[in-house]
Amino acid sequence: MTQSLWFFGARLNIIADHTTTGGQYDLIEGYFPPGSQTPPHRHTRYSEQLYVLEGEMTVWAGENKVVLNAGESFLIPVGTPHVVAALSDKPARGLVVASPSAFARLIAAVGTLDETQPTDMELAERITAEIGDEILGPPGALPTA
């Protein structure tokens, strides 16, 4: 059963998580409105593979900046500070595979049903710490390597 929630300005659909993959990975489909951007963060326990289905996504990962178009993918290794953004005037859609499973737990705990409801940063910081993630700055900032 797919769960759809708003998380840092993006609508994320949890397609598969630890309950269906034995903890091996999470599969998330994301819709990113124009201008949406994650805060700088890093995952200390799982990697993140991003695949663009539609539109254009910009990824800052460590010292790299990559612009991805439909059909392109990028691997964000464990421990790499990064930001993912939809900077064009059109929305983007993509898939994220987080391995091993943990990212879906964060989305389920912190995401909201209402896109206008702001992210509860206190809850986000608590859950990110529990799953081994680190928020490195506010939404809109870029990562420092």
Side-chain angles (χ1 to χ4, degrees):
M1 180 169 132
T2 302
Q3 186 177 13
S4 183
L5 297 164
W6 288 91
F7 185 71
F8 288 113
R11 188 181 70 231
L12 302 179
N13 302 310
I14 302 170
I15 298 168
D17 65 8
H18 71 282
T19 64
T20 57
T21 68
Q24 296 299 305
Y25 66 93
D26 295 323
L27 177 59
I28 312 295
E29 177 189 20
Y31 167 79
F32 304 86
S36 59
Q37 179 174 321
T38 67
H41 63 286
R42 95 173 98 225
H43 312 294
T44 65
R45 298 181 187 156
Y46 59 93
S47 64
E48 181 177 348
Q49 179 81 37
L50 175 65
Y51 177 80
V52 179
L53 296 167
E54 296 174 16
E56 179 182 285
M57 305 284 301
T58 302
V59 179
W60 290 266
E63 296 181 5
N64 299 312
K65 177 185 175 188
V66 180
V67 178
L68 303 171
N69 293 293
E72 297 179 321
S73 67
F74 186 78
L75 175 66
I76 303 165
V78 172
T80 304
H82 63 283
V83 167
V84 177
L87 299 179
S88 77
D89 60 350
K90 295 183 176 135
R93 258 185 357 107
L95 293 174
V96 173
V97 176
S99 178
S101 177
F103 186 41
R105 177 177 171 220
L106 176 62
I107 297 165
V110 180
T112 65
L113 294 173
D114 179 0
E115 69 182 290
T116 63
Q117 185 176 348
T119 300
D120 180 336
M121 287 305 291
E122 185 176 308
L123 177 61
E125 289 175 5
R126 183 171 57 80
I127 300 299
T128 56
E130 288 176 10
I131 66 170
D133 284 3
E134 298 171 336
I135 296 176
L136 304 172
L142 295 179
T144 55

